[in-house]
Amino acid sequence: MKVVIALLLAALCFVGLNAQCPNPKTLQDSEGNKLCARLFEHSSYYYDQSCTGKFLDVSPNEDTPIIPWVWNNRISSLVVGSSCSLTVWSHFKKQGSKKKFSTGIVYQLKEVKKGLFGNWNDSISGYYCTC
Ligand SMILES: *[C@@H]1O[C@H](CO)[C@@H](O)[C@H](O)[C@H]1NC(C)=O
């Protein structure tokens, strides 16, 4: 019986640890520098499985009107750090649709409307981030 309970607790802990999206309050790069935002290649309908794949780190006050080619129209989820805000555009050089995200986790950019019929999944082509 004790073993079963221990296993159950271990399983529950694992579910907790399984959360992928970083906490906006402690968002930092691998060297411990504060980040303005982190942009992820993949997302999921299951929030604890979102923020996966490769990621792109955005520094405080970084202005990138033309996203690196490999990242163009590739971002599906993102996290914006504490007291930061991220503005994104759907075309290079701050053209097309524009959207501002404040501190928090966007598990599914697909759920964020772009214009009348579109959404922001795989649609970001440039950004500006301030803290
Ligand atoms: C986002 O777009 C990509 C490419 O079209 C697609 O593979 C992926 O399934 C989309 N994500 C969602 C949540 O629909």
Side-chain angles (χ1 to χ4, degrees):
M1 190 60 188
K2 270 184 186 156
V3 173
V4 173
I5 290 168
L7 282 175
L8 271 176
L9 284 176
L12 285 175
C13 285
F14 184 71
V15 169
L17 290 173
N18 207 19
Q20 305 276 355
C21 293
N23 184 340
K25 285 185 194 144
T26 53
L27 189 65
Q28 55 183 30
D29 68 14
S30 53
E31 279 147 27
N33 304 304
K34 179 184 167 67
L35 286 175
C36 192
R38 179 170 279 175
L39 316 176
F40 295 88
E41 186 182 9
H42 299 314
S43 67
S44 170
Y45 289 108
Y46 301 103
Y47 284 1
D48 62 352
Q49 290 167 28
S50 191
C51 302
T52 50
K54 298 196 183 86
F55 58 81
L56 177 63
D57 283 347
V58 181
S59 304
N61 304 317
E62 185 179 329
D63 190 14
T64 302
I66 301 178
I67 203 170
W69 185 252
V70 290
W71 280 102
N72 189 34
N73 298 331
R74 293 277 311 262
I75 293 157
S76 297
S77 59
L78 59 86
V79 176
V80 180
S82 281
S83 46
C84 301
S85 102
L86 173 75
T87 304
V88 300
W89 285 266
S90 63
H91 296 308
F92 288 149
K93 300 183 183 169
K94 300 179 180 171
Q95 303 294 305
S97 298
K98 177 182 169 181
K99 173 80 188 170
K100 192 169 179 177
F101 296 99
S102 46
T103 304
I105 300 172
V106 180
Y107 294 95
Q108 279 262 48
L109 278 167
K110 197 186 177 180
E111 288 169 355
V112 181
K113 268 185 183 271
K114 185 183 75 176
L116 269 184
F117 304 109
N119 68 71
W120 279 96
N121 179 42
D122 283 356
S123 209
I124 294 174
S125 297
Y127 55 84
Y128 174 51
C129 204
T130 53
C131 293

